[in-house]
């Protein structure tokens, strides 16, 4: 029997995501000066105000105000009408030194024996239903708000858009868990009271309405999103022709008041948007503002790295990996793998009638292949790079691994650049090794 599943995403202008990006921008600027910096940075943003608090241990010095204002401006909060604007908002900083009790558990004379920064369990997930091994519901939800932000920043179409927006995608799956149709798309986007300068210049003054925005979503946004995914673009085209499908745009009416002026934002409140959209599982720990000694972040990335390798290697169609730690201890407390009955590899030495390898057997082999001590994860995934601000919008998983040039602010407030490799946990750099280990080569 067919069933429905839903995931949501939010744009970079959503107040919680503003907070995430500020926290990660501060982390990046600290790591750029001191790769061994220990950072736990939390941000609150509301009408005209940003509060930054947390614990840090860093050999460098960062101009927190300048980094925060730069981040807010890049998101698009640059107008007084938004009631939250990069140059005029107040910024209160309350950062202090990291607890020596925590540092004692993490730091070791032998780097490889670095302890976990806290207890907890972390999950990684992958599925073969999309090319980036992510759930289609979340992938489409991310793409909708990402593309909407691109349109806003280009400033040529839908010129009434403001930075805050949300999306939600419901997909119908068949009994084999394959996506067959898009049932519902919900899109809420902040907008100006009237149209942008392009239409005003022609002497027009048209009040922005849900009907106008919906028409632009159909004619401008959805066709651009459909072009992105050759594998499932046809589902969006079919959605627009499906009389039973539902497209809900700004369903409550006006969405003029938004961003931190509409809702207070906090770091770490969008952990399901950040991960798998409700598929798989989540350990509960947020990512943004935390340096890689915090296993909430580094081990979650490692678990995704492993899950993606297992699916790409043909071990299973769908994989959930859990790893857990105790504070101050390097070796994981447990390692768990769930293939949801989709495993495809046979156990060794049982002839033609060999049984499919159990999840416990797969987990044992994963433990032999991947070193999950925190220091080993940090080294394998190059996590001491200042690579985190990009993760704070449009999801931490399923993104493109690439080398980019990033700009940072030094202790004197001057800008400087360096190359950084992003989303290293999305690489399939050990695929041949995993295939060989599971007999899939």
């Amino acid at each position: 029997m067919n069933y429905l599943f839903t995931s949501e995403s939010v744009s970079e202008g959503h107040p919680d995501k503003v907070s995430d990006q500020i926290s990660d921008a501060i982390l990046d600027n600290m790591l750029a000066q001191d790769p061994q910096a220990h950072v736990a940075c939390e941000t609150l943003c509301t009408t005209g105000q940003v509060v930054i608090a947390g614990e840090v241990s860093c050999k460098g010095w960062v101009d927190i105000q300048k980094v925060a204002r730069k981040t807010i401006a890049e998101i698009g909060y640059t107008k007084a009408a938004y009631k939250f604007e990069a140059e005029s908002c107040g910024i209160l900083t309350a950062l202090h030194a990291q607890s020596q009790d925590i540092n004692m558990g993490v730091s070791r004379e032998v780097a490889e024996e670095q302890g976990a920064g806290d207890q907890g369990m972390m999950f990684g997930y992958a599925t073969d239903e999309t090319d980036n091994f992510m759930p289609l519901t979340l992938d489409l939800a991310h793409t909708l708000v990402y593309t909407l932000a691109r349109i806003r920043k280009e400033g040529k179409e839908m010129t009434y858009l403001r930075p805050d927006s949300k999306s939600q995608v419901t997909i119908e799956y068949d009994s084999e868990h394959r996506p067959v149709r898009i049932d519902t798309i919900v899109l809420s986007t902040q907008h100006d009271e009237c149209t942008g300068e392009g239409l005003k210049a022609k002497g027009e003054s048209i009040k922005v309405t849900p009907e106008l925005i919906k028409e632009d979503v159909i004619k401008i946004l959805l066709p651009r999103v459909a072009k992105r995914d050759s594998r499932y673009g046809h589902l969006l085209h079919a959605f627009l022709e499906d009389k039973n499908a539902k497209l809900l745009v700004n369903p409550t009416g006006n969405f003029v008041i938004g961003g931190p002026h509409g809702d207070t934002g906090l770091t770490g409140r969008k952990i399901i948007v950040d991960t798998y959209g409700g598929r798989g599982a989540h350990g509960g720990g947020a990512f943004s503002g935390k340096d890689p000694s915090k296993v909430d972040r580094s081990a979650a990335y490692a678990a995704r790295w492993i899950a993606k390798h297992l699916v790409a290697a043909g071990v299973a169609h769908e994989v959930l990996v859990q790893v857990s730690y105790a504070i101050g201890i390097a070796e994981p407390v447990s390692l768990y793998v769930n293939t949801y009955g989709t495993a495809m590899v046979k156990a060794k030495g049982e002839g033609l009638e060999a049984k499919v390898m159990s999840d416990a057997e797969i987990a044992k082999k994963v433990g032999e292949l991947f070193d999950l001590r925190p220091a080993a994860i940090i080294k394998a995934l190059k996590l001491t790079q200042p690579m985190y601000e990009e993760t704070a919008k449009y999801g931490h998983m399923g993104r493109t691994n690439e080398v980019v040039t990033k700009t940072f602010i030094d202790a004197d407030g001057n800008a400087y650049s360096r190359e950084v490799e992003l989303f290293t946990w999305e690489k399939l750099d050990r695929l041949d090794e995993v295939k060989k280990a599971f007999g899939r080569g």
Side-chain angles (χ1 to χ4, degrees), residues 107-402:
S107 299
R108 292 288 189 275
E109 288 186 12
V110 179
E112 289 75 13
E113 294 305 316
Q114 171 184 320
D118 202 352
Q119 69 177 46
M121 68 283 192
M122 299 81 210
F123 289 92
Y125 175 83
T127 172
D128 62 5
E129 71 181 49
T130 58
D131 293 338
N132 62 359
F133 301 92
M134 292 291 286
L136 180 60
T137 49
L138 181 63
D139 195 41
L140 281 177
H142 281 326
T143 306
L144 283 165
V145 286
Y146 170 77
T147 306
L148 196 67
R150 289 290 298 270
I151 292 170
R152 170 175 60 85
K153 291 181 178 182
E154 288 166 5
K156 297 177 181 178
E157 299 175 292
M158 302 178 75
T159 54
Y160 48 79
L161 293 174
R162 290 184 176 183
D164 193 1
S165 65
K166 301 177 74 171
S167 65
Q168 185 172 284
V169 176
T170 300
I171 288 180
E172 180 181 337
Y173 288 81
D174 64 18
S175 58
E176 300 296 318
H177 310 295
R178 294 171 298 202
V180 295
R181 62 182 284 274
I182 300 171
D183 181 81
T184 306
I185 291 176
V186 181
L187 187 72
S188 296
T189 180
Q190 187 187 15
H191 57 82
D192 290 340
E193 290 278 9
C194 297
T195 55
E197 295 300 322
L199 287 176
K200 284 183 179 178
K202 298 177 183 178
E204 301 179 38
S205 181
I206 304 171
K207 185 175 178 61
V208 176
T209 63
E211 291 74 25
L212 173 64
I213 299 173
K214 184 173 183 176
E215 182 180 344
D216 286 347
V217 165
I218 293 170
K219 292 181 179 179
I220 300 169
L221 176 63
L222 293 185
R224 285 182 60 163
V225 172
K227 285 180 182 179
R228 177 187 178 273
D229 196 328
S230 58
R231 187 172 175 186
Y232 287 113
H234 68 282
L235 290 180
L236 269 174
H237 293 298
F239 170 79
L240 292 172
E241 302 298 325
D242 186 347
K243 294 181 179 179
N244 294 316
K246 299 175 282 292
L247 175 61
L248 307 175
V249 177
N250 284 16
T252 61
N254 281 353
F255 185 4
V256 175
I257 299 171
H261 178 50
D263 290 290
T264 297
L266 289 171
T267 299
R269 282 207 301 201
K270 286 292 176 284
I271 57 176
I272 301 304
V273 170
D274 286 342
T275 51
Y276 307 104
R279 290 279 286 275
H282 194 292
F287 302 151
S288 289
K290 297 178 181 178
D291 74 85
S293 73
K294 280 74 171 173
V295 284
D296 274 343
R297 184 165 217 161
S298 54
Y301 292 161
R304 161 64 179 176
W305 184 47
I306 292 168
K308 185 173 179 180
H309 270 85
L310 293 177
V311 174
V315 175
H317 293 293
E318 183 181 17
V319 172
L320 179 73
V321 174
Q322 185 206 54
V323 61
S324 65
Y325 294 87
I327 187 168
I329 307 299
E331 291 288 347
V333 173
S334 67
L335 174 63
Y336 164 82
V337 172
N338 186 351
T339 65
Y340 302 95
T342 69
M344 297 180 282
V345 289
K346 299 295 180 73
K348 262 190 172 181
E350 298 187 26
L352 294 176
E353 301 301 319
K355 296 179 181 178
V356 173
M357 188 178 287
S358 71
D359 289 350
E361 290 172 310
I362 293 171
K364 184 175 184 297
K365 197 169 286 292
V366 166
E368 295 166 354
L369 286 168
F370 294 91
D371 188 342
L372 289 170
R373 293 176 297 171
I377 292 171
I378 290 168
K379 182 178 179 181
L381 299 179
K382 306 175 185 177
L383 297 181
T384 58
Q385 298 181 97
M387 61 199 298
Y388 297 106
E389 186 178 355
E390 287 77 7
T391 68
K393 51 190 175 185
Y394 312 116
H396 293 240
M397 317 301 179
R399 305 289 295 279
T400 302
N401 169 239
E402 59 183 336

